[in-house]
């Protein structure tokens, strides 16, 4: 269980920004340079460079990944948007139309998906409907083979185990509904102000291992904090262990990615006939310009690349799970399911071939007792963040927040399960490691969001260059 995290040590160097330095006077920077000049070239002293990541993602991976995510298996996500906030009661709901989510009608979701929560074998696919009539998965239908019954029980137990990094929705709840992600895209909704700030402030202040001595809010978008040197602010990270620094960068990268999406799909114009969505350069600059953000913007983009490499690594590690002949992307359309599995495996093999995957060393490798406690703290902090998503007042933001945190949590689960994946049988049920359909859909859609962010950075770079 400890072998799946060594790659983070190498990645940490790849995302730690070089200090700006104070040399001889240089010509004024363009708008594009102020956002991207520190987000290029080699990432410190490792062999990973941003340009290679951009080329790999934008031209080799992104087109095929988008095609996969448009398929029925990946476009329908079951989610409970009515779960109460577990932390405070004064939650205000966004009243804007763009905050609303339109759930699917029952006849809009393929029958195979509606009954495919735990499908991994031909036998389970044929008999799962009878199994799901039981009150709980523990009451397994006796018509299933003994081997499949045992697997379902093991899967249920494993879903409640300490290996999971997210508090997943109860998809059997009457409040859980299927949502077509293609019809409810992530974009700017107008959800902002104190309620939105509260979400990120709680995430950063209470879940990113902030030292008590640091008084300034960790929320990188916080304002009114005075002129504090970025190097002084970020010196607190140097005092943290490598794992806690990685945790902060994951959250910062997720935050940055979401802001890229909102800037790229911004409501530019609205008439009674139509709405025009597109790239808002001003919004992007306010979030990522090196001068406007006092040096913070490029750090956020570096952390976005860090998150990309984390999730990319997880997908490369989970390939054996999807290669097993028992696994299928079951929707009920046999031909489409087979084609999509082939596309899925092509994508995963492409990811496996990425030239800049890092050699792995040990992670959480200190004193065994302390390492175990740190790993548990890491997991509990992330589970807590997944629960905070139920406090988001904009339902569309809540939908994509829940999906992306579950996707990142699934990636962390994969990386912590490297040995379990390596020991899976070539065929038959996998008792020690499995992924539910919810985890699979969230894992690939979450990475799809990060992949889209990297692609949009190229678009914004070109737009910023064109205005000079």
């Amino acid at each position: 269980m400890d072998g799946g995290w060594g790659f983070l040590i190498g990645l940490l160097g790849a995302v730690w920004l070089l200090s700006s330095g104070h040399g001889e006077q240089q010509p004024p920077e363009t708008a594009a340079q102020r956002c991207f000049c520190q987000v290029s070239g080699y990432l410190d002293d490792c062999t990973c460079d941003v340009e290679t990541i951009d080329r790999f993602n934008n031209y080799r991976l992104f087109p095929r990944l988008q095609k996969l995510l448009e398929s029925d298996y990946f476009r329908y996500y079951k989610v409970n948007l009515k779960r109460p906030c577990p932390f405070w009661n004064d939650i205000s709901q966004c009243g804007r139309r763009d905050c609303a989510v339109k759930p699917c009608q029952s006849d809009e979701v393929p029958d195979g998906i509606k009954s495919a929560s735990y499908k991994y074998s031909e036998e389970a696919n044929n008999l799962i409907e009878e199994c799901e009539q039981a009150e709980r998965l523990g009451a397994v239908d006796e018509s299933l083979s003994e081997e499949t019954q045992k697997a379902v029980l093991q899967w249920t137990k494993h879903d409640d185990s300490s290996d999971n990094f997210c508090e997943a929705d109860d998809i059997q709840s009457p409040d859980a509904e299927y949502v077509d992600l293609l019809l409810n895209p992530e974009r700017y909704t107008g959800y902002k102000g104190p309620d939105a700030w509260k979400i990120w402030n709680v995430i950063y202040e209470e879940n990113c291992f902030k030292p008590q001595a640091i008084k300034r809010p960790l929320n990188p978008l916080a304002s009114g904090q005075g002129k504090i040197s970025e190097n002084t602010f970020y010196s607190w990270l140097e005092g943290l262990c490598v794992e806690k620094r990685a945790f902060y960068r994951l959250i910062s990268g997720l935050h940055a990615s979401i802001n890229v999406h909102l800037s790229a799909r911004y409501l530019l114009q609205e008439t009674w006939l139509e709405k025009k969505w597109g790239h808002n350069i001003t919004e992007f600059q306010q979030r990522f310009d090196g001068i406007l953000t006092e040096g913070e913007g490029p750090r956020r983009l570096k952390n976005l690349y860090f998150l990309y490499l984390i999730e990319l690594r997880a997908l490369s590690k989970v390939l054996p799970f999807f290669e097993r002949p028992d696994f299928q992307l079951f929707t009920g359309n046999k031909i489409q399911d087979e084609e999509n599995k082939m596309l899925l495996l092509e994508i995963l093999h492409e990811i496996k071939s990425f030239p800049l995957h890092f050699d792995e060393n040990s992670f959480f490798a200190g004193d065994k007792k302390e390492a175990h406690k740190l790993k548990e703290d890491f997991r509990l902090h992330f589970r807590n963040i997944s629960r905070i998503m139920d406090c988001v007042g904009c339902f569309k933001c809540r939908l994509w927040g829940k999906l992306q945190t579950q996707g990142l949590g699934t990636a962390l689960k994969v990386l912590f399960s490297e040995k379990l994946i390596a020991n899976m049988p070539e065929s038959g049920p996998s008792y020690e490691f499995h992924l539910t359909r919810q985890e699979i859909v969230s894992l690939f859609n979450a990475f799809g969001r990060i992949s889209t962010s990297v692609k949009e950075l190229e678009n914004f770079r070109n737009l910023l260059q064109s205005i000079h």
Side-chain angles (χ1 to χ4, degrees), residues 271-286:
T271 67
W272 68 280
L273 285 176
E274 64 177 353
K275 294 181 178 181
K276 181 181 178 181
W277 302 86
H279 295 81
N280 188 322
I281 298 177
T282 300
E283 186 75 16
F284 182 84
Q285 288 178 292
Q286 288 176 348

Side-chain angles (χ1 to χ4, degrees), residues 369-384:
K369 184 176 181 180
E370 291 181 1
H372 177 77
K373 182 181 184 304
L374 181 59
K375 185 188 297 185
E376 181 65 8
D377 287 344
F378 202 96
R379 186 184 67 84
L380 292 177
H381 275 255
F382 197 84
R383 282 180 69 95
N384 209 41

Side-chain angles (χ1 to χ4, degrees), residues 172-294:
Q172 305 303 327
S173 167
D175 290 330
E177 298 178 292
Y178 282 100
V179 173
D180 186 336
L181 298 175
L182 299 184
L183 297 181
N184 294 274
E186 183 181 25
R187 58 191 179 192
Y188 183 79
T189 65
Y191 176 63
K192 56 186 177 180
D195 293 323
W197 280 107
K198 190 173 185 178
I199 300 297
W200 284 111
N201 284 337
V202 170
I203 289 175
Y204 281 108
E205 294 299 303
E206 300 182 13
N207 295 281
C208 282
F209 301 98
K210 178 183 178 181
Q212 292 183 354
I214 300 297
K215 303 302 181 184
R216 170 178 163 171
L218 298 189
N219 184 347
L221 297 183
S223 59
Q225 303 304 319
K227 299 294 184 179
I228 300 178
S229 165
E230 62 176 278
N231 291 331
T232 300
F233 173 48
Y234 279 95
S235 65
W236 71 273
L237 275 175
E238 293 295 341
L240 295 181
C241 65
V242 64
E243 295 87 353
K244 291 181 179 180
R245 293 202 301 270
F247 190 95
Y248 174 81
R249 292 193 177 102
L250 288 176
I251 302 306
S252 173
L254 178 61
H255 195 178
S257 179
I258 291 172
N259 283 329
V260 171
H261 305 154
L262 304 187
S263 301
R265 303 194 70 166
Y266 200 93
L267 182 58
L268 301 177
Q269 183 179 358
E270 182 176 8
T271 67
W272 68 280
L273 285 176
E274 64 177 353
K275 294 181 178 181
K276 181 181 178 181
W277 302 86
H279 295 81
N280 188 322
I281 298 177
T282 300
E283 186 75 16
F284 182 84
Q285 288 178 292
Q286 288 176 348
R287 298 173 186 269
F288 300 108
D289 184 285
I291 294 178
L292 296 178
T293 62
E294 299 182 10

